[in-house]
């Protein structure tokens, strides 16, 4: 749900199925890394979502007008 909302806000569209899968895998990896670095539960998820937001805002689709 949060990935879809992020895409709606940043790109004015919903993610494709493939993009959703990639983003969910990225979130899981970042969350695991945050947990290994000492974050706990909700803080690890927030950290992973912040990382995904940075990635989304650096997509060519967001940065450049077509």
């Amino acid at each position: 749900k949060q990935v879809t909302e992020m895409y709606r806000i940043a790109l004015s569209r919903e993610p494709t199925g493939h993009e959703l899968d990639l983003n969910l895998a990225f979130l899981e990896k970042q969350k695991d890394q945050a947990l290994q670095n000492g974050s706990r539960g909700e803080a690890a998820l927030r950290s992973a979502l912040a990382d995904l937001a940075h990635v989304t805002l650096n997509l060519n689709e967001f940065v450049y007008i077509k």
Side-chain angles (χ1 to χ4, degrees), residues 6 12 31 44 48:
M6 191 176 302
S12 298
K31 183 177 150 190

Side-chain angles (χ1 to χ4, degrees), residues 3-53:
V3 173
T4 299
E5 191 63 26
M6 191 176 302
Y7 263 65
R8 282 186 197 146
I9 292 168
L11 306 175
S12 298
R13 67 175 180 85
E14 294 197 11
T16 64
H18 180 66
E19 289 170 331
L20 187 57
D21 291 341
L22 289 173
N23 284 292
L24 291 174
F26 176 81
L27 275 177
E28 197 61 37
K29 179 181 172 188
Q30 294 304 105
K31 183 177 150 190
D32 289 345
Q33 185 176 1
L35 289 169
Q36 289 176 1
N37 290 335
S39 292
R40 293 184 156 185
E42 197 66 30
L45 178 58
R46 282 194 308 270
S47 177
L49 285 167
D51 291 344
L52 181 60

